[in-house]
Amino acid sequence: MAAIDNLMNLAAEAESALDANVAEVDRILHICNACRYCETFCAVFPAMTRRLDFNVADAHYLANLCHNCSACLYACQYAAPHEFGVNVPKTLAQVRRDTYVEYAFPRVLGMLYRRNGLTVAMAVSLGVAAFLIGTILLKGSVFVHGLEGEFYAIFPHNLLAVLFGSAFGFSILALSIGVARFWREVSEPGKPVPLPNALGEATRSVLTLKYLDGGHGDGCNNEDDAFTLWRRRFHHFTFYGFMLCFASTSLATLYHYLFAVEAPYPYLSLPVLLGTAGGIGLLIGPVGLFWLNLRRNPLQIDEAQRSMDRGFIALLFFVSLTGLALLVWRESAAMPLLLAVHLGFVMGFFLTLPYGKFAHGIFRCAALLKYAIEKRRPNPVQAGSE
Amino acid sequence: MKIVIDVLVIGGGNAALCAALMAREAGASVLMLEASPKAWRGGNSQHTRNLRCMHDAPQDVLVEAYPEEEYWQDLLKVTGGETSEHLARLVIRASSNCRDWMRRHGVRFQPPLSGALHVARTNAFFMGGGKALVNAYYRSAEALGVKVRYDTPVAEILLDQDRFVGVVTEAGETIKARAGVLAAGGFESNREWLREAWGRNDRGEWPADNFLIRGTRFNQGVLLKFMMNAGADTIGDPSQGHCVAIDARAPLYDGGICTRIDCVSLGVVVNRDGERFYDEGEDFWPKRYAIWGRLVAQQPDQIGYSIIDRKVVGRFMPPVFPGVTADSLPELALKLGLPADAFMHTLNRYNNACQPGSFNHTILDDCRTEGLAPAKTHWALPIDTPPFYGYALRPGITFTYLSLKVDDTAAVRFADKPSPNLFVAGEMMAGNVLGKGYTAGVGMSIGTAFGRIAGTQAAAAALGTANPRTV
C-alpha cells in the first residue's frame, strides 16, 4: 500500500509541476511574443508567433522544439535580474522533463525515472549484469579458457535474441505509443501541406542539428554568452556513433538469419568495423557531452533533469566501453565476464530507453516535423504585416 | 601619479564599446568604466534592435536600396530641421560601411523581425537584439585586451582647462588617462531632471512625474550635467527626446520593446475624461508611435486608453500584459475607471461617424470617419463587437536629446573650441543630429558612427599620432 501511495504522490507531484511549468511557459512567451528579438535563433520563436496563448500541448510542442542552445537567454533584455525574469531554455527544459513523464508508457515507470535517471539506469544495468554473471557461475567459473570468442557458448543465441529482442521491442512500442499521443495532442487541423518537403526539412534539421548552430553558425552557449560548436560536434559523435552501432547490430542480425554466418565476426568484417567506429564515436561523444554538461551554466538547465541527462550519457558510454572491451578481449578467459557486463548495460539501455533522455530524440524529431509542416501553412496570427 | 592608460572610456553601451574597440585597434591601451553591474551592462543599447543603414544596392539582410539622400530627407522630416546636415550625412555615410567591422567583432544581423517588415529596406536587425550585440562587443573587447570595470559610476571629470586629465569615481578613486571618451548616456533615468525639464503645465501638473523610463536606470545624466557646469558647449532642448506611448503597467525602468501597445491605430484612444484627442489612424503605427508619447504626455494625468474590440485581435503585435476586458462598452468604461457617459458619448459619435469601407490593416485603407473631430483617417471600424479591450497608455521615455555640442571629430567643445583629448559619443551627443523626433534605428547609427570616431580620435590624441580628420 505504501508503494502505491508513494506512486500516487509521485503522480500528483508530476501533475502540479506540469501545471506550474506550463503556466510559466505561458507567462514568459507572452513577453517573448511582444518582443521577438530572438526570432532567428531557432524554430521555437517563429512557432511562437503563430500563437497568442500557450496551452499544455503548445508548451510540450515548443519545449521539444527547443534544443537548449540558450542563445535567447544571454540575448534576453528581460532575463534576471530584470523583474520579468525570462528564462526560456530553463523553462522549456522543465516542460521537456514533463513530456518524458507525461507521454511515457506506462506512465508510472516514467515517473520513477524522472526521479533518479542515473541511479535507475545503473541499477538496472548492473543488476542484469549480476544476474547474467550469476547464471554463468551456476554452470562453473566466469573465467573460461579456450572459448575463442564463442559468445553463444555462454548464452545461446536464441535466448539472447528473445530476451533482447523483446526488451527492445517493448521499448520501441512504449516510445511509439508516447510519441503518437504527443503528435495527436500537439497537432492542429489545417490545410494539407506537401509532406515530402516538410519531411525533408525536418530530416535535415535532425541530421545536421541545425538548431545547435545558434542561427548564425557560431554555435550554442555552454558556460556564458560565448558560442561554441563543441556541443553540436560531440552530439554528432554520439548520434552517428549510435547509428553505426545500430547498423552493425542490424547487419549482424542479417548475417545470422539470412546467411547463417554466426558471431564472432572477424575484426575486418563489416559488422565489426561499423561497431568499432560507432563504439569509438560513442566514447568520444558522451565523454565530450559529459564534460560540457559539467561546465554548463546552471541558468540554462533544469537541475532536476541532470540525473536523467547524466544517466543516459553514462549508459551510452558504458555500453560502448564494455562492447569495445569485449571485442578486444573476446578471445581471452575474461570473455564470459565481459560479455555478461556488456549485455547488462545493453539491457539497461533497452529497458530505460522509453523513460529517459533517449526519448528526447524521438519527441524532438516529432516537434521538428510538426514545425516543418505548420510553417508551410499561413500564419493564423496576422500581426506582422504592417 | 603615473598615467598608464591611454584612453579612458566612460560608459558601457554601444557607443562606448565602439570607441573602446576602435581605440584598442589603433594601438591604445583602453579602460572602460561601466556604471552598472555586469548583469545590467550596455545601457540602453541592450534594448535596441537595429541599425538604420544607407545602402545603394541590396546588401545581405537589407533589400533594395536606401540612398544617402533619402535617408537624409527622412531625418530632415522627423527632426523638422533640428539637425546638422554635415553631421547627419557623416552618420548616414558611416552607416553604409560599418557593418563588416561590426561583424568582425561578433555582431550578427538578421532579416527584419515579424511585425517590423516595414523597415526591411532601411534597417539591419541585430540577431538577438541589442543585448546580443553588447555581449559580442564585450567579448571582442576583452579578447583584444580592453579592460572593463563594472559598478564604477563616475562622479567628476578632471579637466585642465579644455584638456581631459582623468576622472573621479563615485567611490572617490582618481583614474587618469591621456585621453577620454564620454559615452555615458542621456539623463532620461533621472526623474528629478525630467521633472525640471518638462516643468509644470497649465493644469498645475508635473507631467514627467507620470513618465516611465523604457531603458536603463543608470543614465542619470551625471556627466552631462558636470560637463555643462564645466562650461562645455551644449545643444538641444532638455524636454526633447524619444518618447513613445507604452503600457501603463510597464516597470518603471527597462520595460524595453515589449511594453509597446500596437493596437492604437486599430481602435480609438481616449483620455482620462473619455475624450478622443488625435487621429489614431493617421499612419501605420510604427511610423506614429514616437509621437504618441508626447500626445499622451499632454493629456490630463498623462494617461490615455487604447480601446479595441474583438474584430482586430490578432491583427497587431500581441501586448505583453492582457488587456482589461468587458462584454459591453459601459462595463469597459467602468473597469477602466473612465466617466461612462462621456466615454459612451465619444464611442457612439465615433461609431456613427465610421464610413463603410474595406478594412485592411496592412495598407492605408479607406475606412475613415466623416464629420468627426478629430477624424480617424484609416482603419476606422465601429467598435461594436464584444469582448472589448482597453489598454492604459503612459509616456515612455527612451532617451533624451540634450547634448554636448560636437563637430565631426566628436571632440567636446568649450566656447566653440574643441578639446584636444576629450571626445563624446552616443546619447550624450545624439542631439547634434536628432534635435527632435525619431526614426527607427538612427540612435544606433549615431552611436556607432560617433563611437568609432571618438575612439579613433582619442587613440590618436593619446598616442600623439596625427589627428585623423575623417574615419
Side-chain angles (χ1 to χ4, degrees):
Chain A
M1 275 318 280
I4 291 178
D5 283 350
N6 195 20
L7 280 177
M8 297 299 281
N9 286 343
L10 275 180
E13 200 180 286
E15 208 66 53
S16 72
L18 176 61
D19 290 346
N21 292 339
V22 169
E24 178 66 356
V25 169
D26 188 59
R27 181 187 79 86
I28 283 181
L29 291 188
H30 270 87
I31 298 166
C32 295
N33 218 356
C35 168
R36 302 193 178 184
Y37 281 12
C38 295
E39 213 167 74
T40 52
F41 280 142
C42 69
V44 171
F45 298 100
M48 168 194 76
T49 65
R50 307 178 68 86
R51 294 159 171 84
L52 292 174
D53 290 299
F54 306 90
N55 59 28
V56 181
D58 295 326
H60 282 300
Y61 163 52
L62 295 171
N64 285 279
L65 206 47
C66 170
H67 290 51
N68 198 251
C69 84
S70 302
C72 63
L73 171 64
Y74 296 99
C76 185
Q77 57 188 311
Y78 303 114
H82 194 284
E83 61 195 273
F84 287 173
V86 172
N87 186 336
V88 174
K90 186 191 270 291
T91 309
L92 292 184
Q94 284 162 346
V95 173
R96 231 168 8 250
R97 194 165 61 108
D98 296 332
T99 309
Y100 309 149
V101 180
E102 196 61 26
Y103 295 98
F105 175 86
R107 224 170 133 243
V108 116
L109 291 180
M111 285 185 295
L112 275 181
Y113 201 88
R114 175 182 198 261
R115 276 258 164 122
N116 259 320
L118 183 58
T119 320
V120 171
M122 289 302 123
V124 171
S125 305
L126 296 174
V128 173
F131 175 77
L132 293 175
I133 292 167
T135 59
I136 302 171
L137 281 174
L138 282 181
K139 294 193 285 182
S141 166
V142 287
F143 293 99
V144 187
H145 290 279
L147 286 177
E148 293 177 351
E150 287 295 329
F151 305 129
Y152 304 137
I154 309 298
F155 301 111
H157 177 269
N158 288 346
L159 174 73
L160 291 181
V162 168
L163 275 180
F164 285 79
S166 48
F168 186 63
F170 172 78
S171 291
I172 296 300
L173 178 74
L175 271 177
S176 308
I177 291 172
V179 84
R181 267 188 58 217
F182 173 83
W183 183 263
R184 232 182 7 255
E185 287 178 19
V186 300
S187 289
E188 62 199 39
K191 284 206 188 96
V193 296
L195 198 60
N197 294 353
L199 255 176
E201 183 188 316
T203 308
R204 265 196 311 281
S205 301
V206 170
L207 295 183
T208 63
L209 278 177
K210 176 174 165 50
Y211 296 112
L212 278 186
D213 79 351
H216 35 48
D218 298 342
C220 56
N221 300 96
N222 200 59
E223 290 154 68
D224 54 28
D225 61 84
F227 301 102
T228 172
L229 283 165
W230 280 108
R231 184 141 149 239
R232 193 186 196 192
R233 289 174 183 145
F234 285 131
H235 192 289
H236 277 326
F237 271 111
T238 309
F239 176 79
Y240 289 103
F242 177 81
M243 294 312 273
L244 287 173
C245 289
F246 188 71
S248 159
T249 310
S250 307
L251 195 62
T253 309
L254 287 182
Y255 275 33
H256 187 92
Y257 288 107
L258 281 185
F259 311 119
V261 184
E262 289 194 6
Y265 301 107
Y267 286 114
L268 291 178
S269 66
L270 207 47
V272 175
L273 285 176
L274 288 173
T276 308
I280 292 169
L282 266 184
L283 288 182
I284 297 171
V287 166
L289 289 175
F290 184 67
W291 180 70
L292 290 172
N293 188 287
L294 287 177
R295 303 166 67 91
R296 182 118 353 123
N297 192 321
L299 285 174
Q300 296 176 216
I301 56 162
D302 169 23
E303 306 259 10
Q305 211 188 103
R306 209 176 237 161
S307 151
M308 186 192 271
D309 290 346
R310 293 185 181 170
F312 185 58
I313 290 173
L315 261 185
L316 289 174
F317 177 80
F318 285 115
V319 165
S320 176
L321 187 72
T322 56
L324 289 173
L326 180 60
L327 177 67
V328 171
W329 288 291
R330 70 185 182 183
E331 285 171 20
S332 78
M335 186 275 275
L337 179 65
L338 290 170
L339 179 64
V341 173
H342 179 58
L343 291 177
F345 276 105
V346 173
M347 188 56 113
F349 176 70
F350 281 178
L351 289 177
T352 57
L353 194 137
Y355 312 110
K357 186 73 183 193
F358 184 85
H360 86 279
I362 309 299
F363 288 109
R364 181 141 311 139
C365 290
L368 284 166
L369 180 58
K370 159 117 175 104
Y371 172 68
I373 291 172
E374 78 171 17
K375 73 180 264 200
R376 288 172 163 75
R377 296 181 179 141
N379 189 336
V381 179
Q382 289 296 311
S385 31
E386 311 107 283
Chain B
M1 188 194 308
K2 190 167 172 287
I3 298 175
V4 291
I5 301 155
D6 291 326
V7 175
L8 186 65
V9 177
I10 302 134
N14 172 58
L17 286 159
C18 285
L21 287 166
M22 288 299 280
R24 186 75 195 106
E25 283 181 331
S29 64
V30 180
L31 173 66
M32 283 180 73
L33 303 179
E34 163 62 303
S36 79
K38 188 176 178 186
W40 286 115
R41 70 183 181 186
N44 282 336
S45 303
Q46 58 186 313
H47 295 295
T48 64
R49 59 176 185 174
N50 59 35
L51 183 78
R52 183 165 285 255
C53 294
M54 161 194 163
H55 54 111
D56 289 324
Q59 234 182 44
D60 57 283
V61 298
L62 295 163
V63 297
E64 299 168 36
Y66 188 46
E68 178 180 334
E69 194 54 31
E70 186 186 353
Y71 195 151
W72 161 242
Q73 290 300 330
D74 285 348
L75 210 48
L76 192 61
K77 198 164 70 191
V78 297
T79 57
E82 300 282 321
T83 179
S84 147
E85 180 166 356
H86 177 62
L87 299 182
R89 284 190 187 269
L90 184 148
V91 166
I92 292 169
R93 285 178 208 138
S95 76
S96 71
N97 57 22
C98 62
R99 288 194 303 124
D100 283 334
W101 179 86
M102 295 171 73
R103 267 188 277 259
R104 276 207 300 284
H105 291 290
V107 178
R108 298 290 174 262
F109 293 94
Q110 63 178 23
L113 306 172
S114 62
L117 299 177
H118 58 285
V119 285
R121 186 172 65 89
T122 53
N123 291 46
F125 283 70
F126 314 133
M127 193 178 232
K131 191 163 167 187
L133 168 139
V134 163
N135 288 342
Y137 278 157
Y138 273 106
R139 283 199 303 277
S140 189
E142 279 164 28
L144 290 172
V146 171
K147 298 276 179 286
V148 180
R149 281 175 59 182
Y150 298 104
D151 290 301
T152 313
V154 169
E156 282 178 53
I157 308 291
L158 299 175
L159 294 165
D160 175 8
Q161 306 204 1
D162 62 354
R163 269 195 84 78
F164 170 81
V165 175
V167 302
V168 181
T169 67
E170 260 181 28
E173 182 186 357
T174 299
I175 303 172
K176 295 192 175 181
R178 295 187 179 89
V181 175
L182 301 173
F187 70 88
E188 57 275 357
S189 328
N190 186 327
R191 301 192 62 82
E192 274 151 45
W193 194 348
L194 282 179
R195 186 177 217 255
E196 180 195 317
W198 278 74
R200 205 166 181 176
N201 65 19
D202 298 340
R203 281 182 293 268
E205 304 166 318
W206 297 90
D209 286 355
N210 281 321
F211 292 180
L212 299 166
I213 318 303
R214 295 180 73 215
T216 181
R217 66 207 63 195
F218 293 97
N219 286 358
Q220 294 288 336
V222 174
L223 298 184
L224 192 58
K225 184 146 269 178
F226 184 91
M227 292 307 297
M228 288 165 70
N229 291 339
D233 298 347
T234 62
I235 186 170
D237 168 354
S239 79
Q240 286 296 341
H242 185 246
C243 179
V244 308
I246 60 170
D247 196 306
R249 295 161 292 181
L252 178 55
Y253 293 107
D254 286 301
I257 189 80
C258 81
T259 57
R260 63 187 172 188
I261 295 292
D262 273 15
C263 56
V264 166
S265 58
L266 304 180
V268 295
V269 176
V270 299
N271 62 16
R272 180 195 69 180
D273 303 328
E275 289 162 356
R276 288 178 62 245
F277 51 88
Y278 198 81
D279 178 3
E280 301 88 348
E282 188 175 46
D283 204 342
F284 293 110
W285 179 242
K287 293 188 179 172
R288 279 292 163 270
Y289 73 102
I291 69 164
W292 275 82
R294 294 189 92 79
L295 287 171
V296 173
Q298 287 154 11
Q299 299 307 309
D301 281 351
Q302 295 72 51
I303 196 158
Y305 299 87
S306 171
I307 311 292
I308 57 166
D309 68 4
R310 199 192 63 199
K311 295 196 296 292
V312 298
V313 171
R315 297 288 173 268
F316 56 92
M317 289 291 283
V320 64
F321 302 119
V324 172
T325 315
D327 288 325
S328 73
L329 286 169
E331 187 194 343
L332 188 65
L334 190 74
K335 282 188 169 174
L336 292 172
L338 295 171
D341 290 346
F343 178 79
M344 287 315 298
H345 179 70
T346 301
L347 268 287
N348 288 335
R349 280 191 57 210
Y350 164 79
N351 282 349
N352 292 331
C354 288
Q355 300 301 303
S358 37
F359 176 82
N360 184 344
H361 69 294
T362 66
I363 57 166
L364 291 168
D365 72 3
D366 60 352
C367 291
R368 54 188 180 79
T369 58
E370 192 69 61
L372 187 70
K376 188 176 178 198
T377 49
H378 301 98
W379 313 297
L381 285 182
I383 296 175
D384 56 8
T385 311
F388 302 98
Y389 300 85
Y391 298 90
L393 305 171
R394 285 273 187 215
I397 298 276
T398 316
F399 68 99
T400 49
Y401 292 171
L402 176 66
S403 289
L404 300 185
K405 194 165 167 44
V406 295
D407 63 8
D408 55 12
T409 66
V412 172
R413 302 174 76 83
F414 296 90
D416 210 26
K417 276 174 57 190
S419 161
N421 67 342
L422 181 59
F423 304 89
V424 59
E427 289 177 8
M428 285 182 84
M429 51 66 60
N432 286 270
V433 178
L434 268 181
K436 70 172 190 185
Y438 194 73
T439 183
V442 75
M444 288 300 273
S445 304
I446 297 170
T448 304
F450 273 94
R452 296 183 65 205
I453 292 171
T456 307
Q457 296 286 340
L463 301 173
T465 47
N467 246 22
R469 283 295 299 180
T470 51
V471 182

